[in-house]
Amino acid sequence: MEDGAAGFSTGLIYTPSCYAEEKEIIELAKVIAPFNGIYASHMRNESDKIVEAVEETINVGRQAGVLVDISHHKMLGKPNWGKQKQTLALMHKARDEGIPVICDQYPYTATSTSMTALLPKWAHDGGVSALVARVKAPDQ
């Protein structure tokens, strides 16, 4: 931070970040707080549990006292379209409470990431070779 970093970011749908617990992220964010750091998050979920993921991300900012930037705010999957009414309301409420929260969104109808991000966290246990073996196994 003293050399010019603005904060830190997480990619909580990717390994190894998906294994980080909320309390761990809060403790890391507390380190950047004295520098007015920014916590930017590619959140833990961007589909069925998007509301819970926004709540978690905002809570990091609340507990650590840092600005929160929700990266690429989107609702994956047609059943989740419309949930932005809830998530944006959470962001506005947080701002009303004095928690600085911003987000960005890209204007595409599709997302772009590794297909492994679609797999549950447990599927990544043991590394890439174990993941490939699971994907190849008919019973998995």
Side-chain angles (χ1 to χ4, degrees):
M1 295 295 290
E2 291 171 352
D3 290 330
F8 78 100
S9 65
T10 55
L12 298 174
I13 59 172
Y14 306 107
T15 55
S17 294
C18 65
Y19 297 108
E21 294 181 14
E22 182 178 354
K23 63 184 178 182
E24 179 180 4
I25 300 165
I26 291 167
E27 292 304 314
L28 287 169
K30 286 178 181 178
V31 173
I32 65 170
F35 301 94
N36 295 317
I38 299 167
Y39 167 55
S41 182
H42 290 78
M43 297 183 299
R44 199 174 298 280
N45 190 286
E46 297 174 330
S47 57
D48 296 341
K49 295 188 178 186
I50 184 74
V51 174
E52 294 89 342
V54 169
E55 290 171 337
E56 176 187 42
T57 306
I58 290 170
N59 191 50
V60 170
R62 176 183 291 114
Q63 298 299 319
V66 296
L67 183 142
V68 172
D69 178 8
I70 295 174
S71 296
H72 320 316
H73 184 246
K74 59 189 169 291
M75 312 297 123
L76 293 178
K78 201 168 188 176
N80 298 305
W81 295 357
K83 288 186 180 179
Q84 71 273 11
K85 292 174 184 154
Q86 291 172 269
T87 58
L88 291 171
L90 289 169
M91 290 181 226
H92 287 289
K93 182 175 182 273
R95 283 190 211 123
D96 291 344
E97 295 171 10
I99 304 160
V101 179
I102 61 173
C103 69
D104 68 72
Q105 179 188 43
Y106 53 74
Y108 308 118
T109 56
T111 185
S112 176
T113 193
S114 166
M115 286 182 59
T116 59
L118 300 173
L119 300 174
K121 184 171 87 170
W122 61 264
H124 298 271
D125 289 348
V128 174
S129 58
L131 172 71
V132 171
R134 284 186 189 95
V135 170
K136 287 181 176 181
D139 64 328
Q140 295 285 316

